[in-house]
């Protein structure tokens, strides 16, 4: 077997394609490239891309593709790519089996890059493979756009909708994540759009049709208590029961504790360092934060009461069902109302106004854990790229990492990395 045969087998070429020339070419004192020239026998016929009828070659043009490295050497394939003349469909471009039309990379090389950009920044991949990142971005956007557009959403029954920061300085986007109520599968990022308004929910619903889904099938939507998403769900997902999950309620409780601290500070009380000591659960605090929390609670009755209120609110979701949780929450609201702490009195009113949605946590125990996980992925992607120049690129990478997309190209890796 000669070297050309070996490359034919390696590339999986079949007649009429064959390797006619191959070797190392010196580009500079340090680097060589491997060239593999592919051709076809004169007189070969190729199927018409429309009707697959074998047709004679009309003309041809030499094209070149970057392939996966051969050891340390960048590898380029080149081939005479024919156009055929079909009696019915006239002159048509033939597709080669190793690359997409319009791409300067082979499918294998593209699959390699797609695997790498899941793990590292596109600019870093560009540096690693020696290609400009604008070329890689074009390819990544192509594959992700195509795979995302082809996704089947017909089984979606529940979603979580939340905001996520897209840049430093308070730029926000809305993300929609599929919740699997039986928890059989990991969460899937479905949709991401700039802004966080009621219309953001509408934008998601508008795309459902193209994915074989409709607004009517969404029975449950987990959201925060912002007016925007409540309005968005009411207007665009009419069949969805709204769930305000524990995470969002407890976030408000944390803000209420902070409100009490700020009121005290405004009155001239010494609450130095209290912000961090009062945040979060006891078990997550460092020893000095615990000591500071205890001392603050002892010195300021209002802080002690606010911490106790927050902890009691947390207990709501320990109850086994909606009736017992409702009873606990009712008791909590009257305690908060009598507490003489304005931020907690306000929270009690908010909770009463969102009563059904908070208890809709049961029976599926819907939490925003899914969306929190995806939010983590988005923030990692954002940091990795040190800020995205445009929203489309951030959206593309997030869909690729968290959207459970499948590519139409074979992976060069037998085991997913
Ligand atoms: Zn034809």
């Amino acid at each position: 077997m000669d070297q050309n045969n070996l490359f034919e087998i390696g590339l999986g070429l079949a007649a009429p394609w064959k390797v006619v020339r191959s070797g190392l070419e010196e580009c500079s004192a340090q680097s060589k490239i491997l060239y593999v020239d592919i051709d076809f026998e004169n007189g070969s016929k190729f199927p018409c891309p429309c009707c697959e009828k074998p047709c004679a070659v009309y003309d041809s043009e030499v094209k070149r593709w970057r392939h996966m490295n051969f050891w340390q050497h960048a590898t380029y394939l080149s081939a005479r790519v024919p156009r055929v003349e079909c009696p019915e469909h006239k002159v048509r471009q033939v597709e080669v089996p190793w690359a997409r039309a319009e791409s300067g990379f082979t499918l294998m090389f593209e699959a390699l890059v797609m695997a790498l950009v899941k793990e590292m920044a596109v600019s870093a991949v560009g540096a690693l493979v020696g290609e400009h990142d604008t070329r890689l971005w074009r390819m990544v956007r192509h594959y992700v756009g195509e795979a995302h557009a082809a996704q089947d959403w017909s089984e979606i029954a529940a979603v979580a909708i939340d905001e996520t920061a897209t840049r430093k300085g308070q730029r926000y986007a809305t993300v929609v994540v599929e919740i699997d109520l039986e928890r059989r599968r990991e969460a899937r990022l479905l949709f991401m759009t700039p802004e966080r308004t009621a219309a953001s929910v509408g934008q998601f619903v508008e795309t459902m049709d193209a994915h074989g889904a409709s607004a009517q099938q969404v029975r449950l939507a987990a959201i925060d208590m912002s007016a925007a998403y409540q309005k968005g769900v009411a207007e665009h997902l009419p069949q969805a029961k709204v769930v305000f999950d524990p995470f969002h309620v407890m976030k408000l409780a944390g803000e209420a504790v902070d409100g009490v601290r700020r009121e005290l500070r405004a009155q001239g009380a010494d609450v130095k360092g209290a912000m961090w000591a009062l945040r979060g659960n006891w078990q997550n605090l460092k020893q000095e934060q615990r000591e500071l929390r205890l001392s603050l609670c002892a010195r300021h009755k209002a802080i002690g009461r606010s911490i106790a209120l927050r902890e009691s609110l947390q207990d709501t979701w320990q109850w086994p069902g909606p009736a017992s949780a409702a009873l606990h929450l009712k008791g909590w609201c009257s305690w908060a109302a009598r507490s003489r702490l304005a931020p907690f009195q306000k929270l009690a009113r908010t909770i009463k106004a969102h009563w059904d949605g908070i208890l809709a946590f049961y029976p599926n125990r819907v939490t925003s854990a899914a969306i929190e996980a995806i939010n983590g992925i988005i923030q990692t992607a954002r940091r990795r790229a040190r800020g995205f120049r445009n929203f489309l690129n951030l959206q593309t990478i997030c869909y690729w990492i968290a959207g459970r997309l499948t590519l139409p190209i074979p992976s060069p890796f037998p085991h997913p990395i």
Side-chain angles (χ1 to χ4, degrees), residues 344-371:
F344 278 93
Q345 290 168 329
K346 182 169 170 252
L347 178 57
R349 287 193 297 274
T350 304
I351 286 174
K352 281 182 187 159
H354 297 84
W355 196 259
D356 292 340
I358 292 170
L359 293 171
F361 168 73
Y362 302 97
N364 295 309
R365 296 178 178 268
V366 175
T367 70
S368 59
I371 214 153

Side-chain angles (χ1 to χ4, degrees), residues 48 50-51 86 88-89:
C48 161
C50 305
C51 64
C86 170
E88 198 182 333
H89 299 101

Side-chain angles (χ1 to χ4, degrees), residues 47-53 55 84-90 92:
C48 161
C50 305
C51 64
E52 297 193 356
K53 191 192 286 173
C55 298
V84 288
E85 188 169 29
C86 170
E88 198 182 333
H89 299 101
K90 306 298 169 210
R92 295 278 167 167

Side-chain angles (χ1 to χ4, degrees), residues 1 18 51-52 59 67 75 79-80 202 214 218 231 255 364:
M1 186 197 298
K18 56 180 187 169
C51 64
E52 297 193 356
D59 63 2
H67 191 54
T75 297
R80 205 153 57 97
S214 80
V218 180
K231 183 166 178 271
E255 285 164 19
N364 295 309

Side-chain angles (χ1 to χ4, degrees), residues 78 148 203 223 227 261 271 316 351 374:
S78 80
H148 186 259
Q203 285 164 19
I223 55 173
R261 177 192 66 87
V271 289
T316 307
I351 286 174
I374 292 207

Side-chain angles (χ1 to χ4, degrees), residues 17 19 53 101 115 121 180 184 232 245 263 266 305 319 349 351 381:
W17 297 108
V19 173
K53 191 192 286 173
D180 179 5
R184 289 163 307 186
D245 72 274
E263 265 176 33
R305 269 206 315 283
W319 293 92
R349 287 193 297 274
I351 286 174

